[in-house]
Amino acid sequence: GQIDPEEADVDSDGYRVCEGDCDDEDATVRPGRTEICDGGKDTDCDGIAQDYLDEDEDGWSLCASDCDDSDPNAHPTREEVCDGIDNDCNDNVDDIDRDGDGRGACPGAGDCDDTDPSAYGQVVDVFATEEGDGSTDLPFTDILDAINAVDDICRTVVIRRGSYEVSRTWSDGYLRIEGAGTYPDEVLISSPTGSGYRIFTVRDGSILELSNLLLRQAQVDGDGSALHVTDSDLVLEDVVLFNNSVSGRGGAIYAEDSAVSLNRVQLTGNQSGSSGGAMALVGSDLSSQDVTWEGNTGESGGALWVNGGAVAGTGGLWSDNVAALYGGAMDLERADSLSLEGATLTLNSAGSAGGAVWAADLDGAAQSRIRRSVFQDNAAASD
């Protein structure tokens, strides 16, 4: 009728003595508890009473207000820096606003110059309880309001996690839009419900930079569903374009007389009723690095269609793209030059010629190069 003392759980904290409870008469002491300042108790039963120790040797112990005694970069007199840590132990992470303009200086907080209170980005948060002024604490809820409010210096819009709808024409110089999530798919942007709305149209010598975003499910009768660029520059970094479609050219992107730069971009599942399942270029140059073109479909150029302009790519994957006619991965209807290095083109197919690439008219053939690239398991019905 007796319980062995080793089997007991006198303090009812869920741990018996034989399971490592070092004080079975104190329910606040047991294995797995977070060590707290509690008068010298070994709160987590690891054999060490941490209260007045300084394990990270930063001069501060747990009971002397060190909020993380395992990290020497966190203690009450430490200056806050952009590192994802509460450096100064004020219960806020990366809260730097030296010029007092309401925008933080760390990436994703919106301030491009934290020494100038008149230079700041606009912050957007669809989950904000009320429409604000674009500051860190009072963000806008609508992307259009943020774009309309950009100043002449910073010209940056920072979008927090969530799903957004937007359709906007930009023709006023430089604009940067960046997602504040850890990954692109944490900030989702689509056109308004229904067909006919393009996400962004860029023209008149402007520059649009997009970073860390996912653009999806835009449907347009015409060219370029997600992005339509004319006589301008388009720069994409860590952007995903998914499941966009058009009746014309460029399932996701159409560029004419422009320059397009892609870095770590994914173009997946886009569709064109004409040329360029993912992208169509007319008199435009393309520079790409580590870009994935996968599962796009078009009449010619399952992923990419080019009519004038130079194409240069480093690294990247072209896979499972389908063209009804020419160029399963890309159709160079007319191109100034082609440069590919370290690319992989696999499992692309064409209903006529060029399972991977169809080069009908390559003006700069002598300057074109394909180096250290893999062509594997591509298929064409004829040539």
Side-chain angles (χ1 to χ4, degrees):
Q2 299 294 321
I3 297 176
D4 190 302
E6 292 293 304
E7 296 289 332
D9 181 13
V10 175
D11 55 13
S12 301
D13 61 6
Y15 280 81
R16 297 174 295 168
V17 176
C18 62
E19 291 177 319
D21 194 337
C22 55
D23 188 344
D24 201 35
E25 295 182 357
D26 188 340
T28 66
V29 176
R30 59 173 171 76
R33 279 189 65 89
T34 300
E35 193 74 47
I36 60 174
C37 185
D38 54 7
K41 296 178 183 179
D42 180 10
T43 315
D44 57 4
C45 291
D46 66 351
I48 302 172
Q50 263 183 301
D51 299 48
Y52 301 104
L53 296 179
D54 180 15
E55 290 199 345
D56 56 12
E57 299 181 350
D58 59 7
W60 296 80
S61 67
L62 185 67
C63 289
S65 302
D66 194 339
C67 54
D68 187 348
D69 200 36
S70 65
D71 190 342
N73 294 311
H75 58 73
T77 58
R78 180 106 179 155
E79 182 181 0
E80 192 72 26
V81 295
C82 299
D83 59 0
I85 297 170
D86 179 13
N87 304 102
D88 55 8
C89 291
N90 70 346
D91 296 327
N92 295 302
V93 175
D94 293 354
D95 55 325
I96 303 172
D97 181 15
R98 299 182 182 90
D99 56 12
D101 57 14
R103 278 75 171 176
C106 295
D111 201 336
C112 62
D113 186 349
D114 202 36
T115 65
D116 185 350
S118 65
Y120 49 78
Q122 306 298 328
V123 182
V124 185
D125 189 342
V126 71
F127 296 111
T129 55
E130 58 181 327
E131 184 71 11
D133 58 6
S135 62
T136 303
D137 295 331
L138 295 171
F140 290 118
T141 59
D142 192 294
I143 295 176
L144 292 179
D145 291 334
I147 293 175
N148 292 335
V150 293
D151 60 49
D152 292 333
I153 303 173
C154 200
R155 306 186 76 81
T156 299
V157 173
V158 177
I159 306 176
R160 292 177 177 167
R161 294 175 176 86
S163 298
Y164 300 82
E165 289 186 353
V166 65
S167 181
R168 180 63 152 84
T169 296
W170 179 254
S171 58
D172 190 22
Y174 174 78
L175 175 66
R176 176 177 174 83
I177 301 176
E178 61 183 59
T182 305
Y183 304 103
D185 60 4
E186 294 176 7
V187 181
L188 310 175
I189 298 180
S190 57
S191 57
T193 304
S195 62
Y197 293 100
R198 184 177 292 114
I199 297 178
F200 289 112
T201 299
V202 190
R203 64 189 190 192
D204 300 338
S206 297
I207 302 172
L208 177 64
E209 289 187 2
L210 302 179
S211 174
N212 205 30
L213 305 168
L214 190 153
L215 279 58
R216 61 174 184 170
Q217 297 173 338
Q219 299 179 0
V220 173
D221 291 329
D223 300 328
S225 62
L227 301 166
H228 189 288
V229 187
T230 306
D231 190 29
S232 298
D233 289 353
L234 177 66
V235 180
L236 305 183
E237 182 179 76
D238 296 310
V239 171
V240 177
L241 294 113
F242 171 72
N243 199 25
N244 302 285
S245 62
V246 292
S247 62
R249 297 168 292 181
I253 302 173
Y254 175 84
E256 184 171 342
D257 299 326
S258 300
V260 179
S261 175
L262 310 179
N263 190 13
R264 298 186 304 276
V265 171
Q266 298 179 40
L267 298 106
T268 305
N270 302 287
Q271 304 173 38
S272 166
S274 180
S275 304
M279 180 187 297
L281 302 177
V282 177
S284 300
D285 294 336
L286 171 63
S287 173
S288 68
Q289 182 170 350
D290 297 327
V291 174
T292 297
W293 313 72
E294 189 168 16
N296 304 287
T297 59
E299 187 175 71
S300 286
L304 174 65
W305 179 82
V306 180
N307 189 351
V311 176
T314 302
L317 171 68
W318 307 70
S319 177
D320 294 287
N321 301 290
V322 178
L325 296 176
Y326 302 100
M330 69 177 83
D331 176 7
L332 307 180
E333 189 72 22
R334 182 177 64 83
D336 296 341
S337 63
L338 170 66
S339 174
L340 286 181
E341 181 158 353
T344 298
L345 298 93
T346 181
L347 298 171
N348 304 287
S349 62
S352 182
V357 179
W358 172 255
D361 188 355
L362 193 57
D363 292 340
Q367 290 77 44
S368 297
R369 297 286 187 274
I370 299 177
R371 303 179 65 245
R372 298 191 304 105
S373 295
V374 175
F375 289 75
Q376 182 175 340
D377 295 329
N378 302 288
S382 58
D383 298 333

